[in-house]
Structures are given as structure tokens and as C-alpha cells.
Amino acid sequence: MRSSLVLSRADLDFLLHDWLQVETLTKRPPYAEHSRQTFDAVLELAEEIATEHFAPHNRTADEHEPHLVDGKVVLVPEVAAALRVFAEAGMNAAALPEELGGLQLPAVVNQAVHAWFQAANIGTSAYPFLTMANANLLVAHGSPEQIATYVPAMAEGRWFGTMALSEPQAGSSLADIATRAVPQDDGTYRLTGNKMWISGGDHELTENIVHLVLAKVPGGPPGVKGISLFIVPKYLVEADGRLGERNDVVLAGLNHKMGYRGTTNTLLNFGEGAHTPGGRAGAVGYLVGELHRGLTYMFHMMNEARIGVGMGATALGYTGYLHAVEYARTRTQGRPLTGRDPQAPPVPIVEHPDVRRMLLAAKSYVEGGLALGLYCARLVDEERTAETEEERARAHLLLETLTPIAKSWPSQWCLAADDLAIQVHGGYGYTRDYPVEQFYRDNRLNPIHEGTHGIQALDLLGRKVTMSGGAGLQLLVTTVGATTARAAGTPWADLGAELDAAAARLVEVTAALWSAGDPQVTLANATVYLEATGHLVVGWLWLEQVLAAEGRDGALYDGKRQATRYFQRWELPKVAPQLDLLASLDTTVLDMHPDWF
């Protein structure tokens, strides 16, 4: 039986069971109804649906992107058909509580399940991905009435959800959003304004679309402290759950991106007067939680989405890598370097050292990225269900620290894996005869999704490693040290020593950066800090993997050992010069005058 070109089930099983020991979660009350058998069954079902219903139209949706006909968004019919199968299998609600119609899967298993769909078709999978994040936010912060009104319909796949943050004039600078929400006598709000780059913002795939919208209430504090969060459905919902009149949310236009073409991406106008529910101007919105705490609530969805974006980047890199391996094993070209007979038959290109170099690099990136995403999802489970408050707080702090890395490292390096996949294919790689060029285009969006590379860097250096007096960084270093201590006396002790040295140096450099006395100098090179810390973290997770593979025989485990050695010898050495640059408090970027470009 041919191995999947979507993802590696063997690698997922190794990471989930041999390394992360997910079956131990079934001893905790939320997951007591599950077992390894149920986890494996849902993974098998995910692979089947992703392979048979998502992957086949990946190219079709890319070539025939969403367009407008008579004011309505038209998608290729295969998108709706795949999402019906997805919903009927219960995948929308996989991680939701049982009382809300969910399967109540652990977060780590749920991430593994959805990686199949992200790898098979990132454009189609974006709709339920956003919907699940929307539902999770409402479960955490919505009122009981809001949860009952909106979450079950999203769990069933009858309604989809979005998050509407950015605006044309503000972009990532949410302090500058201008959308207004005016309170009404009946307790609702009327919203007016524009939102840009709203994925899934309009379509005919479902009966309703539940927008979560950031807006400012007049008289509130300036900047981000004045932002509130509102539910703004496309169609209003009656008291009995039936859909009522159209809300004043209008599709103003579609954005056309280089990738994710199957996901409709929109400019939405709220309260422009096209629809005036109840005869009053503005889109009807319902406040989530308390006034002026909208950004705090939205970060619940954004942080979940950031880990999800990292997993999506990993999935796209992973499927590109698998396609490159398949191509390299079957494409014959050239002869060995030691071969002198021009009449000898050509060999598969996987025999050439430079092709193996590219494949090994890609393997180290995508399998490292998958470990990173699943480890963070496992921390979500610890944060929610660990036995003691101390353990839950520890998981929360480590997850907070790792989140910008979990988003940005795969978005950079698993994109690099897709770049290498194109190179392995040679001239065919950048043609549309092979899918790797689409994987690259789709993946190129991820360094921008849910906060750019630079924003994640500012978050890591400017906030995460300094919060609580540097407790997040210290916890990360301590956690790495626990792994390197286990490596002592094994063939991987040298890698452990190198990680210890890099971690100690990271702490020194962090202190040096923050002793500069000028935040501009401290943060000017934050992206280098993010990249150095990310490589240290993934090097640590490769050590974790190889220790889990210790004493095991077979190609899977031998591959893990060789990829670990590659990362140690080729990738980890990049960290030291980056830390040296940071320690020098270099101001080259700051000193560059805008007129000199």
C-alpha cells in the first residue's frame, strides 16, 4: 500500500503515542470516555475524509477562485460537498464539550486530526478552522444565552464563523480601528465601519455567518483599552432559533490572494444602510463579556489561531516534502558522482547527495514543526486538565512563551521546505503540472496570517520573555534543561550540551538587550531574536524526539536520528552568530534613514 502524500500517519502515531503519551490523558475526567482506540479511529477517519473529499479539489479551487454572481459569492461545488462530509463526521465539534454536541477530544489529538485537512486542502479547511476558533471563544467568554444561540449551530456546520479585526486604514495596528458600536435601549449595539481581509466573510456555504467584530463604543478609553467585542450575525436570530431578517453586513468586495484561493477573503461594510433591521441604521451587534475587554477576549481566538496557523504552515510544508520524496525516488536523471560509464542507466535523483541534502533539510523542518505544534497543543490540555493549579499555571506560562514561536517558526521554515520541494522537482517544480508550486503559494500567506513575523518577534522579546520578571524565559530554559539532563549518558549528550550552552547564552543576551536603556535598540532586531529562539526550541524538540526513539529499530526511527543529527550540525550552529549580533546592540537598521532607500 502506497504511503500517503498528504501526511505521515506513522509520524503522527510516533509523536502522539511514543513521545507525547496522549493515552495518559484518558485518566483525566474530561477525556475519560476516550481511549487509544477512539483517538486512532478519529485519526483514521480524518485521513480518509481529507484524502477522498478535500485533496481532490485542492487544485480546482485554486484555479477557480471565489467570484461574484448577482452579488453572491460563488465557489466550486466541491467545497460545499467536502464541508458537508466534514460536518456529518462531527469534525466541526471534535474538541467541543459533549454537552454542546462535541466529541470532547483533547486539544493535541484535535490538532493532529485537523492537520490532515490543512495538508490536503488549506483553502477549504479554513472555513471550519475559523468557525471552531469562533465557537471556542464564545464558550470561554460568551453568556449562556449566546453560547446556546450560536455554538450548537456552528458545531453542526449549519453556520460558520469569522473574526473581524483589521480595517483598511489600520491593518495590524488595532489601536487605530474606527468601527463604532453605539448602545441601544434594548441592550444591543449598532455597528458602523469597515473590516478588511476577513477570511470566510461571505459565502453561500451555510445558512448564517457569525462575525466576531472588534469595535469601539463612544466615550471609551483611547487605543486598545477602548476596544470591545461584538457578535454580529449575517442574519439575525429569533428567540426560537429561527433565522430572521438580514443584518446590515454587506460584502463590499473580494480580495484575491496568491494562495488560499479557495477561501473567500472579503472587505465587509457594517451599517452602510443596505439593510436596516428594525428601521434603525447600523448592523445589530451583541456585546461579548464586558465593555472595553474585547482585545483580551479576541486574543483567546487569535492565540488559538496562531498555533493553528503554525500547524497549517507545517502541514503544507509536510505535504510538499512528501511529494518531493516521492518525486526524487521515481525521477531518474544523471549518474553517481563516481560513475564513469555514460552508457549506464540514470539513477533516481534521490541518489544524488545534494537532493538528499534538500530532502533532509525539509524533513528536519516539517517534522520539527509538527512536533512544535503538537507540543503546544499538549500544553493546552495541561493548562485545562492538569491535576494541580501549579501544573496548570506552568503549562499556561510555557504556552504563552512558545505561542509566537509556534506561529512564526513553521511559517518561515516549513515555507522553506516547500521552496526546497520545488527545487527537488527541478524545472517541473514551478509549473502547474505538479502541486508543489501551489503548496508554496498557499504557505507564503502564513508569515502574514494572525500577526506578521515581525509582530510575533515583538511579542516574544517585548512581552513574553519579560512578563512576570522573566518567568516565561526561565521556565523555557528549565524545561529544555530537563530534557538535556535526560540525554546525559546517551549518544545525544553532545546535542544536550550544545542546547544548554545556547539556552544560557540566550538568557545572557536577553538581559543585555533589555539593559540597553532604549526600547528602540532593544527591539530593533527582534526578528533575529525570534529566529534564534525558534531554532533553539526546535533543536530541543528534536532531542525530545530522538530520546523517544532510543532503542527502537526501523526506517522511521533511523530517519528521526538522522534528521536530529542534521539539525544539530547544520541548523543549530546558526543560533550562536545570531545571538552575537543581538548582544552587540547593533543599530544598523535604526541608523538607516528612510530617504536612503
Side-chain angles (χ1 to χ4, degrees):
M1 180 178 176
R2 179 174 132 167
S3 298
S4 174
L5 295 182
V6 178
L7 273 184
S8 167
R9 177 62 189 276
D11 193 18
L12 280 173
D13 284 346
F14 167 77
L15 294 172
L16 291 173
H17 299 301
D18 296 345
W19 176 41
L20 294 173
Q21 303 289 315
V22 297
E23 194 173 0
T24 61
L25 290 170
T26 62
K27 298 176 182 177
R28 300 178 184 178
Y31 312 126
E33 298 300 314
H34 287 294
S35 64
R36 172 158 185 171
Q37 286 70 35
T38 62
F39 294 158
D40 287 349
V42 74
L43 283 164
E44 184 176 341
L45 180 60
E47 179 179 0
E48 178 184 329
I49 296 173
T51 303
E52 296 181 4
H53 298 277
F54 278 62
H57 72 272
N58 191 43
R59 173 64 76 186
T60 304
D62 180 73
E63 292 176 339
H64 304 280
E65 58 187 312
H67 60 281
L68 291 173
V69 175
D70 297 329
K72 293 186 177 182
V73 178
V74 176
L75 298 159
V76 295
E78 293 91 335
V79 174
L83 292 173
R84 279 195 298 272
V85 175
F86 184 93
E88 289 167 2
M91 294 297 175
N92 275 301
L96 283 174
E98 187 177 355
E99 61 267 23
L100 292 172
L103 301 179
Q104 207 158 304
L105 283 178
V108 62
V109 178
N110 187 53
Q111 283 285 11
V113 164
H114 289 287
W116 280 105
F117 301 101
Q118 291 172 308
N121 190 321
I122 198 72
T124 296
S125 69
Y127 296 101
F129 168 75
L130 289 163
T131 301
M132 290 181 286
N134 183 309
N136 289 338
L137 183 148
L138 290 178
V139 170
H141 301 294
S143 68
E145 181 183 11
Q146 289 171 344
I147 294 170
T149 300
Y150 298 102
V151 172
M154 288 194 282
E156 294 168 12
R158 293 187 292 111
W159 301 353
F160 281 171
T162 76
M163 54 177 170
L165 292 75
S166 299
E167 297 181 6
Q169 83 292 341
S172 298
S173 182
L174 295 178
D176 298 319
I177 65 171
T179 299
R180 290 165 50 90
V182 178
Q184 305 295 301
D185 293 340
D186 61 1
T188 65
Y189 289 75
R190 291 292 171 131
L191 278 74
T192 54
N194 315 104
K195 293 293 180 178
M196 179 60 114
W197 311 118
I198 310 306
S199 295
D202 199 60
H203 50 71
E204 303 300 317
L205 294 169
T206 51
E207 303 166 5
N208 204 1
I209 302 174
V210 182
H211 302 290
L212 288 176
V213 184
L214 291 182
K216 293 182 178 180
V217 176
V224 296
K225 293 182 179 179
I227 294 175
S228 299
L229 180 64
F230 300 89
I231 299 168
V232 184
K234 180 177 179 179
Y235 289 94
L236 300 179
V237 184
E238 304 290 351
D240 60 4
R242 291 183 299 111
L243 295 183
E245 59 185 314
R246 174 72 185 264
N247 206 352
D248 197 5
V249 183
V250 175
L251 174 64
L254 295 177
N255 301 309
H256 300 283
K257 298 185 176 183
M258 67 184 286
Y260 274 71
R261 289 180 175 174
T263 307
T264 177
N265 189 272
T266 63
L267 169 63
L268 297 178
N269 291 344
F270 293 83
E272 69 170 13
H275 309 278
T276 54
R280 291 178 290 179
V284 177
Y286 307 90
L287 178 68
V288 177
E290 300 175 14
L291 275 175
H292 314 315
R293 296 196 62 199
L295 200 55
T296 299
Y297 302 144
M298 186 61 88
F299 265 108
H300 183 283
M301 185 173 182
M302 288 173 66
N303 283 335
E304 179 180 338
R306 283 172 174 173
I307 296 172
V309 166
M311 281 293 287
T314 295
L316 285 166
Y318 211 126
T319 191
Y321 158 71
L322 293 175
H323 278 81
V325 170
E326 173 81 358
Y327 184 83
R329 286 173 173 165
T330 55
R331 164 71 168 175
T332 57
Q333 182 176 311
R335 288 154 190 85
L337 294 174
T338 55
R340 297 184 179 277
D341 182 4
Q343 305 263 338
V347 297
I349 62 172
V350 75
E351 298 292 336
H352 300 310
D354 196 57
V355 172
R356 276 179 278 173
R357 174 193 63 81
M358 291 187 284
L359 293 175
L360 190 51
K363 179 181 177 71
S364 79
Y365 302 152
V366 302
E367 293 184 15
L370 189 58
L372 174 61
L374 293 179
Y375 182 84
C376 287
R378 185 68 161 83
L379 287 176
V380 173
D381 290 316
E382 292 300 310
E383 180 185 34
R384 294 173 179 170
T385 68
E387 292 183 3
T388 68
E389 178 59 36
E390 181 182 359
E391 291 172 309
R392 292 192 292 272
R394 178 191 179 279
H396 175 78
L397 181 60
L398 188 55
L399 180 62
E400 283 276 290
T401 306
L402 287 175
T403 294
I405 298 169
K407 187 274 176 186
S408 264
W409 193 92
S411 297
Q412 179 179 8
W413 293 101
C414 294
L415 175 65
D418 282 322
D419 183 84
L420 290 168
I422 291 173
Q423 193 73 11
V424 168
H425 280 73
Y428 290 110
Y430 47 70
T431 71
R432 294 198 175 190
D433 298 322
Y434 289 84
V436 288
E437 65 86 26
Q438 183 186 341
F439 299 150
Y440 182 88
R441 285 188 290 103
D442 287 340
N443 216 350
R444 185 57 188 83
L445 276 61
N446 287 315
I448 294 175
H449 279 159
E450 301 310 323
T452 63
H453 194 55
I455 287 174
Q456 303 302 325
L458 292 173
D459 182 41
L460 179 66
L461 179 56
R463 193 165 72 90
K464 295 300 176 60
V465 300
T466 61
M467 62 186 180
S468 304
L473 177 60
Q474 189 54 55
L475 177 56
L476 175 59
V477 170
T478 300
T479 307
V480 171
T483 304
T484 60
R486 287 171 32 225
T490 75
W492 304 97
D494 56 341
L495 174 54
E498 291 167 24
L499 288 168
D500 282 336
R505 180 71 172 139
L506 178 66
V507 173
E508 293 175 3
V509 169
T510 305
L513 285 166
W514 279 108
S515 66
D518 182 350
Q520 286 195 101
V521 174
T522 299
L523 298 172
N525 300 316
T527 54
V528 178
Y529 186 91
L530 172 66
E531 291 169 10
T533 309
H535 255 48
L536 169 60
V537 165
V538 175
W540 156 54
L541 294 178
W542 268 114
L543 180 58
E544 279 277 330
Q545 290 187 73
V546 82
L547 291 176
E550 193 69 16
R552 298 171 184 263
D553 296 322
L556 174 71
Y557 307 108
D558 290 339
K560 289 289 182 187
R561 284 184 274 271
Q562 199 66 9
T564 302
R565 192 61 77 195
Y566 172 87
F567 204 89
Q568 177 185 6
R569 293 177 176 173
W570 289 66
E571 297 294 334
L572 199 57
K574 297 175 181 177
V575 172
Q578 289 178 313
L579 293 179
D580 289 343
L581 173 64
L582 290 164
S584 73
L585 303 180
D586 182 74
T587 61
T588 302
V589 173
L590 282 177
D591 296 339
M592 180 65 182
H593 194 279
D595 292 341
W596 299 346
F597 287 107

